[in-house]
Amino acid sequence: MSDLLLSADQLTCIREDRILFDQLSFEVTAGELIQVEGPNGAGKTSLLRILAGLSRPYDGRVNYKQQDITQVREEFYNDLTFIGHLAGVKSELSAEQNLAFNLQLQNDDTTGLEQALDQVNLTGFEHAPAAFLSAGQNRRIALARLWQSHSKIWILDEPFTAIDKTGVEKLERLFIHHIDNGGCVILTSHQDIQIGAQRLKRITLDYNFE
Amino acid sequence: MSDLLLSADQLTCIREDRILFDQLSFEVTAGELIQVEGPNGAGKTSLLRILAGLSRPYDGRVNYKQQDITQVREEFYNDLTFIGHLAGVKSELSAEQNLAFNLQLQNDDTTGLEQALDQVNLTGFEHAPAAFLSAGQNRRIALARLWQSHSKIWILDEPFTAIDKTGVEKLERLFIHHIDNGGCVILTSHQDIQIGAQRLKRITLDYNFE
Amino acid sequence: MNQPLSYWQTFSIVLMRDLKVAVRNKGDVFNPLIFFVIVITLFPLGIGPEGNTLTRIAPGIIWVAALLSALLSLERLFKNDYSDGSLEQMLLSPQPLFIMVFAKVLAHWILTGIPIILAAPLLALLLQLETNAYGAMLATLALGTPILSLIGAIGVALTVGIKKGGVLLSLLILPLYIPVLIFATGAIEAAALGLPYSGHLAIIAALLVGALTLAPFAIGAALRVSTN
Amino acid sequence: MNQPLSYWQTFSIVLMRDLKVAVRNKGDVFNPLIFFVIVITLFPLGIGPEGNTLTRIAPGIIWVAALLSALLSLERLFKNDYSDGSLEQMLLSPQPLFIMVFAKVLAHWILTGIPIILAAPLLALLLQLETNAYGAMLATLALGTPILSLIGAIGVALTVGIKKGGVLLSLLILPLYIPVLIFATGAIEAAALGLPYSGHLAIIAALLVGALTLAPFAIGAALRVSTN
Amino acid sequence: MHFANFNDFIDMGGYAFFVWLSYGCAFFLIISLTVVSVRRRKSLLREIQSKQQRDEKLKQLRKGKNSNEPKT
Amino acid sequence: MWKWLHPYAKPERSYQLASTLLPWFSVLSITTLLIGIIWALGFAPVDYQQGESYRIIYVHVPAATLSMSVYMAMATAALVSMVWQLKLADAAAAAMAPIGAVLTTIALITGAAWGKPMWGTWWVWDARLTSELILLFLYLGIIALHNAFDDKVLAGRAAGILTLVGVVNIPIIKYSVEWWNTLHQGATISKLDKPSMSTDMLLPLLVNILGFVLMIGAITLIRFRNEVIARNAMRPWVKELIAKELK
Ligand code: HEM
Ligand SMILES: Nc1ncnc2c1ncn2[C@@H]1O[C@H](COP(=O)(O)OP(=O)(O)OP(=O)(O)O)[C@@H](O)[C@H]1O
Ligand SMILES: Nc1ncnc2c1ncn2[C@@H]1O[C@H](COP(=O)(O)OP(=O)(O)OP(=O)(O)O)[C@@H](O)[C@H]1O
Ligand SMILES: [Mg+2]
Ligand SMILES: [Mg+2]
């Protein structure tokens, strides 16, 4: 494999004495779109947070380009964009200020904020505090970042939540564009993704009651 | 119309000096399922909160059985179940305690909690504090209430958020059962609803830019 | 449909739920008390351990500490309920709002007022309060702390929808706490000098009755406004 | 990809953002100050208006009030960021955490410490502080309030993932504030008596240097643990 | 006229600082409140106007977009 | 009374009414205040006890007396808005709060500046002084709460509730502070007791009080108009107003 970006190595996650997944290993290379599937409570969010280094697995490790992420934190985070259940949008700041701050933290390009906001249909709302926007518009502020992101690895926990249909389509096109350019996307979603099956890799988690 | 449950009378909603909807009137009778549609930020949540009496419209009024809801608050709320963007689940309490409390407040039947929790696939998690459950499981605790509800009017803001596919199907079956029994459902969702078009009435909101 | 709940049932359901939540958050039960103790011990540290001065100012310190610890714990009264949406559910319930609100305030008092009353004698000892003022101190705390919870709840209800929270709250309600503070410390000082203090107590009791009857409605109205 | 940010840029971006948020929440700018003022006025009300006693205890009151108002405003340092997910984003940023944390603490101090320092002379007037103690009061506040923000931030970072919030926090950090309190009030009292107080100031300055070097790392580590 | 000369008037029988401080502060506070209130009106009107213009612009923009969308 | 008021419950009408009244109030208040202040500073006789410092009374007393009247007016407006659901009453209350706060501040500053030469200290914990300070806090609380809401209508209602709760407390605060003060301090400051004034001292004071009332009226009208505009930004008449005024 030429372009191995991220690999999970024997990950085990135990929550409240329940084994969510055990010795889970997989690899993510450039050009892959991975959907983590499973019913509610299967452990998707837990897996994504472990992959992003936000929580520690009970056992096993996560490697970024063959190196443990806790060793190469700075390089890894420079190459990672994570959007979780919480959007990371400050309700006091405007859409534009929020986006600029998030991009700067990530060493991303902050020219062309307006185009990015236009992509997520927030033209006209750039300067209103996020508190004045709807649930979906708040998620859109967080997602606008993706259009400016230079990082290869995108980890997205239910990115389509609260987004309307045209928005979902636009996001899907962006994902394809991203993996075509050598990136990878790891996401969860309970909605079906309209991307050709050959491009989509699935990781299925299930209740481990056996 | 024999069974007029709820009617909106010339509702106007203005947020941040933008008119979301103007002079909106419609009626909801028993046996109807109404989907409020529109892109992000169109005003769906605002409309549902006005219908439930949680916020006041800029102009116009909402009637429950021909009477202004602010006049007949007690009867109306006895006949209403509202689940919003926030689930109303206390993370310190267990699923069972949460459900029991919500049902009691609503004068609903509190025998058979376990069946209700089983309906939403929470068997085995009844006694764990909600903080230990996943995003979808938390929503499920809130939704479990619907199986025990005696109220006719259900107002649900994006009830399918974070719910997996089998969960969504089950909910749709429940909605049909409810309207067959003389209830009505008003909901928003960005996902398509698999209910025969003849039973579904749509209210479409859009940006008022024309 | 079940039988509608009686007022008393509604009251006890809400009360029990709030107590349950507090017990699950073990900290909630002890923290106001510990804050009270810490604030009181800060004073000898800040002022110097001289006995005379401490005895003079002991009533004031005890009451100011009680006030601040009520204040600090008030946030939790509605804020958590607001941010997880269960306040919304209460507003949408057919049960009368003022009863639910009253139950919540009572739960707050049980969790903050009572521990303070129980701990006060010990702390008075540390501050070398005059021996014959203990009775007055306990009586004023018993009558006064419920007023703190009731009036405080109005402030919390008004600010519950606002991000700023904490500090705005104190600006709103501390001025309203001043009469309680003055009468209560007055009573304790009178008792320390061996003077009668039943007049002060009567006034505090009157304030309590007033707060009990008016506050629940004000709180309810405030909640409906600030969750709009 | 853009040029990575320099330390200084990261620092100023985070600082400016926190100040912007505070200015939007107009209240955030004035409220800690107003709390400070109100707490200070509570004491004369609780203790009685007698000038002599007030003068004796003025340094203690001013410092206890400063401590409490720092404490009450601390919550906002990380809590809001945690609950809207932006703390998570900061932890996932390639920028060094201790710098971002340091910028946040500085913003907190600018918004609470500086107003308190500016208002203190006026309040000292109300409490009839000895005239020759003003200099010492200002010096101790200038050196001491940053320590309050730095140490407080450790406590907030540790409790940010926990629902209980407020009161647990005070339990954690008030004990750590005690040394500052003792040396600061000691210095003011010495100055009031016309004694030299540079020794006390030196100790507070040493505490400040210690806190400045160690706290940002402690805060960063605490954040990683408590958001796990 | 109560005062013999202008200097006496300014001196206020030795209480100049306190008297003029009082009058000065009162004057300053009232005038600033008035000025702030009067200016607020203009800025309010301007705010509303700019919002209206923004809405207008958006209307055009969206119309353009909606007619484009089906083609792409 | 209600019938007479009713047409003015419409925002547009009350805006127009405020606009017609404003010039009258402005002109009258400025002339009255000018007369009063020149009289007070230059022509009123000197007080044999306090010397010229007593001239502070001519700002101190109007500001102090009216600081409380403004609060009562706000409370009345809040009550009206609550009982009759009259939204404009909230706007009036909101318009008055900053004025009350400014008056209270003036009373405090002038009082302190008078206290220094008379009592030798800027501040004592006297009953009146203390309750005036608490009144300032009440005002600041109401203003802060009002600013904390983004929606003007909600802000008005929330501030109204607080105002009403505060009005219940004002007599209690006043009473408690007075009572508290006398217990500790046997000898009260006798100079605060109303001195029996000679008419040539009293007259300019009355003129000044009238001037302050008119001035409060004028500023209230200015601010009231702003509040009405802010609450009706979407109405056509505001659009017309904008079209007329900003060209
Ligand atoms: C910070 C200091 C002071 C404050 C806050 C203050 C406050 C007040 C207040 C609230 C009133 C209004 C009474 C009412 O209408 O019920 C008042 C009236 C008055 N004050 Fe002051 N005062 C202060 C200092 C002084 C000083 C130093 C003097 C004179 C030596 C003084 C002389 C008067 C007089 C003569 C009145 C009018 C009395 C009356 O009509 O009842 N005040 N003051
Ligand atoms: N608290 C608020 N203050 C001011 N304006 C608001 C507020 N909440 C919403 N708005 C405005 O109202 C509009 C509609 O919001 P609403 O939440 O009703 O949208 P929605 O249709 O539910 O959208 P979504 O699909 O994203 O949930 C938003 O565009 C926003 O500009
Ligand atoms: N903070 C926590 N403490 C203890 N257990 C937890 C915690 N969070 C989650 N769990 C447990 O881990 C399991 C998996 O949670 P997770 O959030 O990963 O699920 P998920 O697959 O993302 O579900 P959803 O589709 O609902 O988002 C849950 O069933 C829950 O029991
Ligand atoms: Mg999840
Ligand atoms: Mg919505």
Side-chain angles (χ1 to χ4, degrees):
Chain A
M1 281 262 111
S2 59
D3 261 0
L4 182 59
L5 284 175
L6 200 65
S7 61
D9 185 8
Q10 314 260 20
L11 290 179
T12 304
C13 177
I14 297 187
R15 289 283 209 162
E16 279 291 294
D17 304 338
R18 203 161 64 81
I19 300 178
L20 292 183
F21 41 86
D22 195 14
Q23 311 272 5
L24 184 69
S25 301
F26 57 88
E27 297 191 338
V28 185
T29 54
E32 277 187 329
L33 195 154
I34 296 186
Q35 182 178 15
V36 181
E37 280 185 329
N40 289 135
K44 302 180 292 300
T45 300
S46 309
L47 176 60
L48 295 198
R49 288 179 66 86
I50 290 173
L51 288 181
L54 278 174
S55 33
R56 296 219 189 160
Y58 181 84
D59 213 2
R61 32 179 242 163
V62 179
N63 295 326
Y64 167 65
K65 297 191 176 163
Q66 325 274 18
Q67 283 171 297
D68 192 322
I69 53 168
T70 54
Q71 306 300 319
V72 290
R73 192 170 263 156
E74 207 168 311
E75 291 90 331
F76 175 49
Y77 284 163
N78 196 15
D79 213 8
L80 169 74
T81 296
F82 174 92
I83 300 178
H85 276 300
L86 296 169
V89 168
K90 280 229 93 58
S91 56
E92 291 92 349
L93 299 182
S94 70
E96 198 173 273
Q97 287 169 327
N98 267 303
L99 180 58
F101 179 73
N102 277 332
L103 289 176
Q104 282 169 329
L105 276 193
Q106 222 48 50
N107 291 332
D108 283 325
D109 190 6
T110 51
T111 57
L113 292 181
E114 294 195 358
Q115 289 93 297
L117 286 173
D118 193 40
Q119 290 291 341
V120 292
N121 257 344
L122 283 175
T123 315
F125 296 98
E126 300 97 337
H127 302 296
F132 292 172
L133 301 181
S134 76
Q137 287 171 321
N138 264 290
R139 297 279 314 170
R140 280 160 181 267
I141 296 175
L143 293 171
R145 188 137 67 93
L146 296 176
W147 270 270
Q148 298 281 88
S149 164
H150 76 275
S151 41
K152 289 239 159 59
I153 306 173
W154 290 359
I155 300 186
L156 311 171
D157 201 355
E158 306 201 21
F160 304 134
T161 302
I163 302 290
D164 59 26
K165 266 181 233 155
T166 52
V168 171
E169 277 164 29
K170 218 161 190 174
L171 271 175
E172 286 172 350
R173 281 202 297 275
L174 178 68
F175 295 160
I176 295 185
H177 179 254
H178 181 62
I179 58 177
D180 283 345
N181 286 326
C184 69
V185 180
I186 305 171
L187 56 78
T188 66
S189 172
H190 293 299
Q191 281 166 266
D192 283 321
I193 299 182
Q194 314 295 342
I195 292 177
Q198 71 286 3
R199 312 213 52 171
L200 196 66
K201 194 168 129 187
R202 287 210 167 83
I203 294 176
T204 307
L205 300 176
D206 212 335
Y207 290 115
N208 266 313
F209 282 134
E210 51 282 319
Chain B
M1 278 266 112
S2 60
D3 261 3
L4 183 60
L5 285 176
L6 200 66
S7 62
D9 185 9
Q10 315 255 27
L11 290 179
T12 303
C13 177
I14 295 186
R15 291 287 209 158
E16 273 294 290
D17 305 336
R18 203 162 66 80
I19 299 178
L20 293 184
F21 41 87
D22 197 12
Q23 313 270 8
L24 184 69
S25 300
F26 58 88
E27 297 191 334
V28 185
T29 53
E32 278 187 330
L33 196 153
I34 295 186
Q35 183 179 12
V36 181
E37 280 185 328
N40 289 134
K44 303 179 293 299
T45 299
S46 309
L47 176 61
L48 295 198
R49 287 179 66 87
I50 289 173
L51 288 180
L54 278 172
S55 31
R56 294 212 195 167
Y58 183 81
D59 220 356
R61 33 178 241 162
V62 179
N63 296 326
Y64 167 66
K65 298 190 175 164
Q66 323 275 20
Q67 284 172 294
D68 192 323
I69 52 168
T70 54
Q71 306 299 321
V72 291
R73 193 169 262 157
E74 208 170 309
E75 292 89 331
F76 176 50
Y77 285 164
N78 196 13
D79 214 8
L80 169 76
T81 295
F82 174 92
I83 299 178
H85 276 301
L86 296 169
V89 168
K90 280 228 92 57
S91 55
E92 292 92 348
L93 299 181
S94 69
E96 199 173 273
Q97 286 169 327
N98 267 303
L99 180 59
F101 179 72
N102 277 333
L103 290 175
Q104 282 169 330
L105 275 194
Q106 221 50 46
N107 291 333
D108 283 326
D109 189 7
T110 50
T111 56
L113 294 180
E114 294 192 0
Q115 290 94 296
L117 287 173
D118 193 39
Q119 291 289 343
V120 291
N121 260 344
L122 283 175
T123 316
F125 295 98
E126 299 96 339
H127 302 295
F132 291 172
L133 300 182
S134 77
Q137 288 171 320
N138 266 290
R139 296 278 316 169
R140 281 161 179 265
I141 297 175
L143 293 171
R145 191 137 67 93
L146 296 177
W147 271 269
Q148 298 282 88
S149 165
H150 76 275
S151 42
K152 288 238 159 58
I153 306 173
W154 290 0
I155 300 186
L156 311 171
D157 200 354
E158 307 201 20
F160 305 134
T161 303
I163 302 289
D164 60 25
K165 266 181 234 156
T166 52
V168 172
E169 277 164 29
K170 220 163 189 171
L171 271 175
E172 286 173 349
R173 280 202 298 276
L174 179 67
F175 294 161
I176 294 186
H177 179 255
H178 180 62
I179 57 177
D180 283 344
N181 285 327
C184 70
V185 180
I186 304 172
L187 56 77
T188 68
S189 172
H190 294 298
Q191 282 167 263
D192 284 320
I193 298 183
Q194 313 296 339
I195 292 177
Q198 72 285 4
R199 314 217 48 174
L200 197 65
K201 195 168 129 187
R202 288 211 166 84
I203 294 178
T204 306
L205 299 177
D206 209 337
Y207 292 112
N208 263 317
F209 285 130
E210 54 282 316
Chain C
M1 175 182 161
N2 266 24
Q3 202 61 16
L5 299 181
S6 70
Y7 283 7
W8 171 245
Q9 281 172 317
T10 310
F11 182 83
S12 67
I13 287 171
V14 177
L15 178 66
M16 292 320 289
R17 166 197 179 253
D18 266 32
L19 293 180
K20 261 185 233 156
V21 170
V23 171
R24 261 287 312 169
N25 274 346
K26 280 152 223 146
D28 272 7
V29 185
F30 297 107
N31 286 339
L33 177 63
I34 290 170
F35 181 75
F36 181 65
V37 174
I38 291 181
V39 170
I40 285 187
T41 50
L42 283 183
F43 278 96
L45 294 172
I47 286 163
E50 207 185 294
N52 267 352
T53 321
L54 277 184
T55 305
R56 267 276 297 110
I57 63 175
I61 292 183
I62 290 176
W63 258 94
V64 171
L67 226 122
L68 292 176
S69 84
L71 184 74
L72 237 81
S73 58
L74 268 172
E75 283 263 295
R76 124 183 128 222
L77 192 53
F78 297 119
K79 203 95 191 182
N80 285 348
D81 277 2
Y82 174 75
S83 57
D84 65 19
S86 42
L87 185 59
E88 210 171 80
Q89 291 298 335
M90 277 189 229
L91 293 177
L92 289 176
S93 148
Q95 322 304 339
L97 187 56
F98 74 92
I99 290 190
M100 294 187 278
V101 157
F102 192 60
K104 286 187 73 70
V105 174
L106 183 63
H108 178 260
W109 181 70
I110 291 177
L111 294 167
T112 62
I114 290 186
I116 286 179
I117 296 173
L118 295 180
L122 201 67
L123 294 163
L125 205 67
L126 286 185
L127 295 176
Q128 286 151 31
L129 184 73
E130 214 73 66
T131 334
N132 43 357
Y134 278 70
M137 179 190 72
L138 289 177
T140 55
L141 283 174
L143 289 174
T145 47
I147 308 183
L148 301 185
S149 296
L150 284 162
I151 296 184
I154 303 178
V156 193
L158 283 170
T159 54
V160 74
I162 303 169
K163 272 269 153 128
K164 299 154 209 186
V167 207
L168 175 62
L169 178 66
S170 47
L171 176 59
L172 298 186
I173 58 181
L174 281 181
L176 304 180
Y177 278 176
I178 286 174
V180 184
L181 174 67
I182 289 179
F183 288 119
T185 53
I188 304 178
E189 274 160 22
L193 298 174
L195 303 172
Y197 57 90
S198 52
H200 308 101
L201 280 191
I203 297 177
I204 302 181
L207 291 179
L208 175 59
V209 172
L212 277 174
T213 47
L214 296 179
F217 296 95
I219 300 168
L223 283 179
R224 288 216 194 272
V225 170
S226 61
T227 55
N228 199 322
Chain D
M1 173 182 162
N2 264 27
Q3 203 61 16
L5 299 181
S6 71
Y7 282 8
W8 172 246
Q9 280 172 318
T10 310
F11 182 82
S12 66
I13 286 172
V14 177
L15 178 65
M16 291 320 289
R17 163 194 180 258
D18 266 32
L19 293 181
K20 261 186 234 156
V21 170
V23 171
R24 254 291 308 171
N25 277 346
K26 283 155 222 147
D28 272 9
V29 185
F30 297 105
N31 285 338
L33 176 63
I34 290 170
F35 180 77
F36 181 65
V37 175
I38 291 183
V39 170
I40 285 187
T41 53
L42 284 183
F43 280 98
L45 293 171
I47 286 163
E50 206 185 294
N52 270 350
T53 320
L54 281 182
T55 306
R56 264 279 295 113
I57 61 175
I61 293 181
I62 290 176
W63 258 93
V64 171
L67 225 123
L68 292 176
S69 87
L71 185 73
L72 236 82
S73 59
L74 268 172
E75 282 261 296
R76 118 180 135 224
L77 193 53
F78 295 119
K79 202 94 189 181
N80 284 349
D81 278 1
Y82 174 76
S83 56
D84 65 19
S86 43
L87 185 60
E88 210 171 82
Q89 290 298 336
M90 276 190 229
L91 293 176
L92 289 175
S93 147
Q95 323 303 341
L97 188 56
F98 75 92
I99 290 189
M100 293 188 278
V101 157
F102 192 57
K104 285 187 74 69
V105 174
L106 183 64
H108 178 262
W109 181 71
I110 291 177
L111 293 167
T112 61
I114 290 184
I116 285 179
I117 296 173
L118 295 180
L122 199 69
L123 294 162
L125 201 71
L126 291 187
L127 294 176
Q128 285 144 31
L129 183 73
E130 214 69 69
T131 331
N132 45 357
Y134 278 68
M137 180 190 71
L138 289 177
T140 55
L141 283 176
L143 290 174
T145 47
I147 308 183
L148 300 185
S149 296
L150 284 163
I151 296 184
I154 303 179
V156 192
L158 283 170
T159 54
V160 74
I162 306 171
K163 272 266 153 129
K164 299 157 212 183
V167 204
L168 176 63
L169 178 66
S170 46
L171 180 58
L172 287 180
I173 59 180
L174 278 181
L176 299 176
Y177 280 176
I178 286 176
V180 184
L181 176 68
I182 290 179
F183 288 114
T185 52
I188 304 178
E189 272 158 24
L193 299 173
L195 304 172
Y197 58 89
S198 52
H200 298 102
L201 278 191
I203 296 179
I204 301 179
L207 288 178
L208 176 58
V209 173
L212 276 175
T213 47
L214 297 180
F217 297 96
I219 299 167
L223 283 178
R224 287 216 193 273
V225 170
S226 61
T227 55
N228 197 319
Chain E
M1 185 74 190
H2 169 75
F3 292 98
N5 56 39
F6 190 70
N7 271 348
D8 272 9
F9 175 69
I10 293 298
D11 188 48
M12 279 288 158
Y15 293 115
F17 174 68
F18 302 107
V19 173
W20 294 119
L21 176 74
S22 306
Y23 278 80
C25 280
F27 187 75
F28 173 75
L29 285 173
I30 289 172
I31 292 297
S32 357
L33 179 66
T34 316
V35 168
V36 167
S37 309
V38 170
R39 282 217 189 133
R40 177 81 192 121
R41 191 182 127 83
K42 271 263 147 40
S43 68
L44 245 178
L45 289 181
R46 233 172 257 133
E47 258 169 47
I48 297 174
Q49 190 189 33
S50 71
K51 248 178 208 152
Q52 283 172 0
Q53 284 167 352
R54 197 202 58 192
D55 264 19
E56 211 56 37
K57 222 172 61 192
L58 271 178
K59 233 185 258 180
Q60 307 304 332
L61 214 140
R62 297 237 183 214
K63 262 186 194 155
K65 223 185 224 164
N66 284 344
S67 51
N68 283 343
E69 209 118 276
K71 283 176 220 154
T72 45
Chain F
M1 150 106 170
W2 179 238
K3 278 233 166 75
W4 177 81
L5 259 179
H6 198 70
Y8 295 104
K10 281 212 182 90
E12 188 176 2
R13 288 295 295 275
S14 50
Y15 180 88
Q16 282 163 355
L17 181 68
S19 300
T20 34
L21 286 180
L22 183 55
W24 293 98
F25 270 84
S26 318
V27 170
L28 279 178
S29 70
I30 288 172
T31 36
T32 324
L33 276 177
L34 270 181
I35 295 171
I37 284 172
I38 291 172
W39 192 349
L41 279 176
F43 296 91
V46 67
D47 185 274
Y48 70 98
Q49 246 184 349
Q50 310 186 21
E52 309 289 356
S53 75
Y54 100 98
R55 290 181 197 282
I56 295 176
I57 204 175
Y58 296 110
V59 259
H60 176 69
V61 171
T65 316
L66 293 175
S67 65
M68 294 182 199
S69 321
V70 169
Y71 195 94
M72 294 318 293
M74 274 170 59
T76 317
L79 190 69
V80 167
S81 104
M82 208 150 276
V83 175
W84 286 294
Q85 305 280 328
L86 193 61
K87 283 182 194 159
L88 285 176
D90 272 339
M96 275 186 271
I99 305 176
V102 163
L103 288 175
T104 314
T105 313
I106 292 175
L108 284 168
I109 292 176
T110 55
W114 199 359
K116 185 68 183 168
M118 288 300 106
W119 311 331
T121 169
W122 296 94
W123 182 263
V124 283
W125 291 93
D126 166 82
R128 246 196 192 147
L129 278 57
T130 308
S131 50
E132 189 75 358
L133 186 65
I134 298 170
L135 181 65
L136 177 66
F137 292 151
L138 278 176
Y139 273 124
L140 292 181
I142 292 169
I143 295 172
L145 186 65
H146 203 278
N147 287 339
F149 282 85
D150 295 306
D151 185 316
K152 283 268 175 187
V153 177
L154 293 182
R157 259 191 267 157
I161 293 174
L162 184 63
T163 313
L164 288 177
V165 174
V167 87
V168 176
N169 262 268
I170 278 194
I172 301 174
I173 290 173
K174 228 182 142 143
Y175 172 58
S176 69
V177 170
E178 247 154 51
W179 168 87
W180 156 77
N181 194 260
T182 46
L183 184 83
H184 293 283
Q185 223 177 300
T188 39
I189 299 134
S190 51
K191 276 169 197 148
L192 255 179
D193 289 342
K194 189 169 187 165
S196 43
M197 266 188 170
S198 63
T199 16
D200 40 359
M201 283 178 167
L202 190 61
L203 266 181
L205 182 59
L206 294 179
V207 173
N208 261 349
I209 291 180
L210 179 67
F212 265 72
V213 171
L214 291 168
M215 176 195 73
I216 292 168
I219 303 178
T220 306
L221 287 175
I222 297 175
R223 300 187 62 87
F224 175 73
R225 290 202 307 175
N226 294 346
E227 296 286 334
V228 175
I229 293 179
R231 278 154 213 247
N232 293 282
M234 293 309 296
R235 302 281 186 199
W237 65 269
V238 174
K239 284 185 185 167
E240 280 164 31
L241 194 75
I242 290 171
K244 212 164 59 193
E245 300 220 355
L246 304 175
K247 265 204 222 124

